[in-house]
Every structure is written in C-alpha cells, then in structure tokens.
Amino acid sequence: MDAQPSFADLGLPTPVVDELTRQGITTPFPIQLATINDALAGRDTLGRGRTGSGKTLAFSLPVLTRLAASNAPRKPNKPRALILVPTRELANQVNEVIMPLARELKMFTTTIYGGVGYGGQLN
C-alpha cells in the first residue's frame, strides 16, 4: 500500500505546512488530494462535500501558495485575492481558517459583508 502524500509532498510552502502541523492537521483529506495539484497548476476545480470534509483548505491552500509564489508586491487598497461565500457566518469561518496560514506567509486577510455599518469594516 502506498503512503498518502503529505501537505509538503503537494508542494505547499514550508511555513504553511508547519502551521497546519501546529494545528494538528498532518494528512490531507480526500477532497484536498483531489483538488490541490490542479488548483496549484492554475486549473479550475470544483469540489463538493459535507461540513468538515476539508473544502476550505482545499481551495485556500492553493490560493495562498500561488500568491506566495508570485512574489507580487502588495499594493494599498488592491486585494490580491477575493473569496465569495453566501453568508456572513461562512465568511467568518473561512477567514478563521485562512488567517493563521496567511500570517505565516506575511499576508493579511479581512472579512467584508453586508448588513453592518461601513465604519468598522473600513477600519
């Protein structure tokens, strides 16, 4: 039986792999194995799964990896990636997953959604 690839084997940056390990995430879930290589190669992917199946990492790990590899400098008020989700709660959940990984790559994240005042979100 072949050993399952690790996150490092999938080509993710060492700081991201280290942060996943600190979080106790050491083995990719099936949806991550099925999508990460294609997403890293710039191909469109589509995945569907139950809550807890690893979907957020399946799309966010390639996004962060590609941004880190691009070496494109951050420009003020110019986001480098945008993730759209249908609810405020899901937006916050996705941000909670991505933020510590992005931080390891010296990137910043934020969440913006409707139904609240502009002041706090602009800050």
Side-chain angles (χ1 to χ4, degrees):
M1 177 185 252
D2 292 337
Q4 182 172 337
S6 68
F7 285 108
D9 295 334
L10 295 175
L12 301 179
T14 301
V16 170
V17 174
D18 292 345
E19 176 59 25
L20 289 169
T21 301
R22 278 191 291 278
Q23 294 179 23
I25 305 169
T26 57
T27 306
F29 285 20
I31 194 165
Q32 296 157 0
L33 289 172
T35 59
I36 287 177
N37 284 331
D38 285 332
L40 286 174
R43 291 188 283 278
D44 292 338
T45 61
L46 177 64
R48 190 168 99 176
R50 294 177 182 213
T51 299
S53 64
K55 296 180 301 294
T56 301
L57 288 177
F59 73 78
S60 62
L61 292 172
V63 168
L64 293 171
T65 300
R66 288 177 56 101
L67 287 172
S70 76
N71 292 319
R74 182 184 178 279
K75 297 176 185 169
N77 302 314
K78 303 284 184 190
R80 295 178 59 208
L82 176 67
I83 298 168
L84 300 174
V85 296
T87 67
R88 179 182 314 171
E89 292 77 15
L90 185 55
N92 287 325
Q93 288 174 359
V94 168
N95 192 53
E96 287 175 15
V97 170
I98 294 175
M99 189 184 310
L101 300 167
R103 190 178 308 130
E104 292 301 314
L105 297 171
K106 311 294 188 257
M107 295 179 200
F108 301 94
T109 66
T110 192
T111 305
I112 300 172
Y113 41 78
V116 297
Y118 289 126
Q121 291 192 74
L122 289 173
N123 289 334

